[in-house]
């Protein structure tokens, strides 16, 4: 890559789009116009006020088109996995209305819509129950030059379908940016378990949009193992009666890491349930942000929604911003939210010390147990074991803890 190949993110957006079906060109044009009118986030953008990205917006990047999502597992029977480019060329009508179905994109999601060139479409037909997980790897470019990639994944699950999707965002170097979008459409009674692991040294901006029909279930587990700058948004639209979503997250930061998790769950139909449980361990000079929103619309009676964000602050120089909140426009609901920021439980520490456990080892054990409870919710055992190993490698006395657990 050369200096001449680099542009700022906004400057890289073309003025017009002349390839693809009419509806896609319209979609890209609308996203580009939004970017030109609104720009990318600044300090005045409320949802981004704790994660300043001005230096990122002003930086120049070269395009890394070769760095797209890669399927690393065999395609299970009954499942179709196709490249978005191939479908857009041969059967574009299959994707119409299935890109940006979460609404008009803004900021980095709009940038992805305007700029993505390929991606994966995972289609699970009605009634198909997929036993083996589908695994996708997003590996950052090996070049040391500042570069940007736009991974895109679409998942469609028909009525009664079930699947597990595991995504890993790894590799990457300082100055490399991944701006990803994942969309999932769940039909009636469909179930999706979605595991997402962030362990990249690069810059990561990610968004997941989920649209759920009646009685569908979406379960998300996000594990973030640090990052120079990470911003991850997940939005669930509970549009059918009895739909359910469970959003779990664990983050571990140190040094100068900055991680920011935003969630938005919209209850649009009655008798839906949602729960959010995020836990973080923050040390060094790092910063962690959690902003969770539950919106209960007027017609969403008999809603049940809960939020919880708990944090361990292990350093006087680390910073945590946490804001779970509710917006309720219905009267027959059961909703709760809460957040804590503090040190380890002194009663638990005393219990271990009284039984002869050295203080530093006791602190490490309690730290690991605090965040492992989220990892334990991952149903796929090999992934769960890999995530435990990643946590142990980042926690003091990890080798000793491994021997006793």
């Amino acid at each position: 890559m050369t200096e001449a190949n680099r542009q700022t993110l906004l400057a890289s957006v073309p003025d017009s789009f002349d390839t693809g079906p009419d509806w896609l060109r319209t979609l890209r044009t609308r996203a580009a116009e939004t970017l030109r009118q609104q720009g990318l986030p600044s300090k005045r953008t409320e949802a981004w006020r704790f994660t300043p990205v001005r230096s990122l917006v002003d930086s120049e990047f070269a395009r890394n088109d070769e760095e797209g999502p890669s399927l690393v597992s065999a395609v299970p029977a009954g499942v179709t996995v196709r490249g978005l480019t191939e479908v857009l060329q041969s059967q574009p009508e299959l994707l119409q209305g299935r890109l940006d179905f979460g609404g008009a994109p803004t900021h980095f999601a709009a940038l992805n819509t305007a700029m993505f060139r390929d991606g994966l479409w995972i289609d699970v037909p009605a009634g198909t129950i997929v036993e083996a997980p589908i695994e996708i790897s997003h590996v950052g470019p090996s070049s040391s030059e500042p570069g940007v990639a736009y991974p895109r994944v679409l998942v469609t699950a028909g009525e009664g379908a079930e699947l597990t999707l595991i995504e890993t965002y790894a590799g990457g170097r300082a100055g490399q940016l991944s701006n990803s979008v994942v969309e999932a459409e769940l039909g009636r009674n469909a179930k999706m378990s979605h595991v997402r692991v962030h362990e990249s040294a690069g810059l990561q901006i990610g968004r997941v949009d989920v649209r759920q029909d009646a009685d569908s279930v979406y379960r998300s587990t996000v594990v973030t193992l640090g990052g120079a700058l990470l911003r991850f948004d997940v939005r669930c639209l509970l549009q059918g009666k009895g739909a359910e979503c469970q959003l779990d997250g664990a983050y571990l930061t140190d040094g100068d890491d900055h991680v920011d998790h935003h969630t938005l769950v919209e209850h649009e139909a009655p008798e839906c349930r949602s729960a959010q449980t995020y836990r973080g361990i923050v040390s060094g000079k790092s910063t962690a942000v959690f902003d969770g929103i539950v919106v209960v619309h007027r017609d969403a009676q008999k809603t049940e929604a809960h939020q919880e964000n708990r944090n361990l602050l292990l350093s006087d120089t680390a910073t945590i911003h946490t804001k779970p909140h509710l917006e309720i426009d219905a009267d027959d609901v059961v909703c709760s939210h809460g957040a804590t920021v503090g040190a380890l439980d002194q009663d638990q520490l005393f219990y271990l010390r009284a039984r002869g456990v050295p203080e530093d080892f006791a602190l490490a054990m309690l730290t690991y147990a605090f965040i492992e409870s989220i990892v334990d919710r991952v149903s796929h055992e090999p992934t769960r074991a890999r995530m435990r190993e990643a946590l142990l490698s980042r926690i003091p006395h990890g080798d000793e803890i491994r021997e006793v657990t």
Side-chain angles (χ1 to χ4, degrees):
M1 299 177 190
T2 65
E3 293 287 341
N5 292 329
R6 299 182 191 171
Q7 292 179 298
T8 62
L9 296 173
L10 285 177
S12 66
V13 179
D15 294 328
S16 61
F17 301 88
D18 54 9
T19 59
D22 290 344
W23 62 265
L24 180 60
R25 294 199 299 271
T26 299
L27 199 64
R28 292 191 192 274
T29 299
R30 188 176 66 207
E33 290 174 349
T34 298
L35 287 167
R36 281 188 280 270
Q37 293 171 4
Q38 300 181 356
L40 290 171
S42 68
K43 289 182 178 179
R44 294 188 296 273
T45 308
E46 175 64 22
W48 291 79
R49 64 192 180 102
F50 294 126
T51 301
V53 291
R54 176 49 54 192
S55 60
L56 177 64
V57 171
D58 291 339
S59 297
E60 294 185 344
F61 296 92
R63 183 67 181 259
N64 290 314
D65 290 316
E66 73 280 4
E67 303 296 340
S70 299
L71 190 69
V72 297
S73 62
V75 178
V79 177
T80 301
V81 179
R82 302 172 66 181
L84 291 179
T85 296
E86 182 266 317
V87 180
L88 289 169
Q89 291 174 346
S90 61
Q91 297 174 290
E93 68 280 1
L94 297 180
L95 295 179
Q96 186 169 2
R98 285 177 157 171
L99 298 177
D100 282 329
F101 55 62
T106 60
H107 301 315
F108 287 96
L111 185 62
N112 181 291
T113 295
M115 300 298 291
F116 84 91
R117 294 186 183 174
D118 203 359
L120 293 177
W121 176 26
I122 300 170
D123 182 44
V124 185
T128 302
I129 298 178
V130 183
E131 300 290 347
I134 301 168
E135 299 183 58
I136 296 177
S137 175
H138 304 263
V139 179
S142 58
S143 171
S144 60
E145 295 286 335
V148 57
Y150 297 99
R152 189 113 182 178
V153 176
L154 170 66
V155 180
T156 51
E159 181 175 353
E162 298 183 18
L163 77 149
T164 296
L165 175 65
I166 300 172
E167 291 188 280
T168 301
Y169 291 76
R173 299 187 181 186
Q176 304 286 352
L177 169 63
S178 171
N179 177 19
S180 63
V181 169
V182 177
E183 296 173 293
E185 181 183 60
L186 305 186
R188 182 181 295 270
N189 290 306
K191 296 180 180 179
M192 177 177 174
S193 177
H194 188 187
V195 180
R196 183 168 171 134
V197 183
H198 300 131
E199 48 184 348
S200 171
L203 310 168
Q204 299 179 73
I205 307 290
R207 180 182 176 97
V208 172
D209 272 304
V210 184
R211 182 169 61 184
Q212 298 185 234
D213 204 344
D215 297 315
S216 62
V217 178
Y218 175 75
R219 301 187 184 279
S220 166
T221 305
V222 178
V223 177
T224 299
L225 303 173
L229 183 142
L230 177 137
R231 167 62 183 253
F232 177 60
D233 289 67
V234 56
R235 180 188 183 195
C236 292
L237 303 179
L238 306 182
Q239 298 179 325
K241 180 180 178 181
E244 176 182 341
C245 77
Q246 171 79 46
L247 308 180
D248 298 323
Y251 44 93
L252 183 65
T253 66
D254 198 0
D256 294 320
D257 294 339
H258 186 112
V259 302
D260 183 347
H261 294 81
H262 273 58
T263 66
L264 171 59
V265 177
E266 294 202 48
H267 287 255
E268 300 180 356
E271 300 182 28
C272 294
R273 297 167 298 282
S274 69
Q276 302 177 48
T277 305
Y278 274 71
R279 293 191 176 190
I281 299 174
V282 187
S283 59
K285 297 180 180 180
S286 64
T287 300
V289 181
F290 173 79
D291 191 315
I293 305 174
V294 172
V295 178
V296 182
H297 292 268
R298 181 166 300 179
D299 294 333
Q301 301 295 340
K302 299 188 182 301
T303 282
E304 183 174 352
H306 304 284
Q307 288 178 296
E308 177 188 278
N309 178 226
R310 296 178 60 190
N311 297 277
L312 287 181
L313 191 61
L314 302 184
S315 168
D316 292 337
T317 54
T319 303
I320 295 173
H321 302 281
T322 177
K323 190 177 73 170
H325 54 290
L326 306 167
E327 299 177 11
I328 302 173
D329 196 24
D331 52 18
D332 187 1
V333 301
V334 178
C335 297
S336 67
H337 68 288
T340 61
V341 178
L344 290 166
D345 189 307
Q346 292 301 307
D347 290 338
Q348 293 178 344
L349 181 60
F350 177 80
Y351 178 87
L352 293 174
R353 295 286 288 115
R355 280 151 181 79
V357 179
E359 182 174 3
D360 56 346
F361 186 43
L363 288 169
M365 289 181 65
L366 292 175
T367 300
Y368 175 68
F370 175 81
I371 205 166
E372 186 199 23
S373 62
I374 298 295
V375 173
D376 280 345
R377 301 185 184 190
V378 176
S379 59
H380 185 238
E381 198 283 327
T383 300
R384 187 169 64 247
R386 182 169 64 83
M387 292 161 70
R388 283 175 176 164
E389 284 298 310
L391 290 174
L392 289 170
S393 69
R394 289 165 169 80
I395 292 177
H397 300 281
D399 292 338
E400 299 168 66
I401 294 174
R402 186 183 294 108
E403 293 177 1
V404 299
T405 56

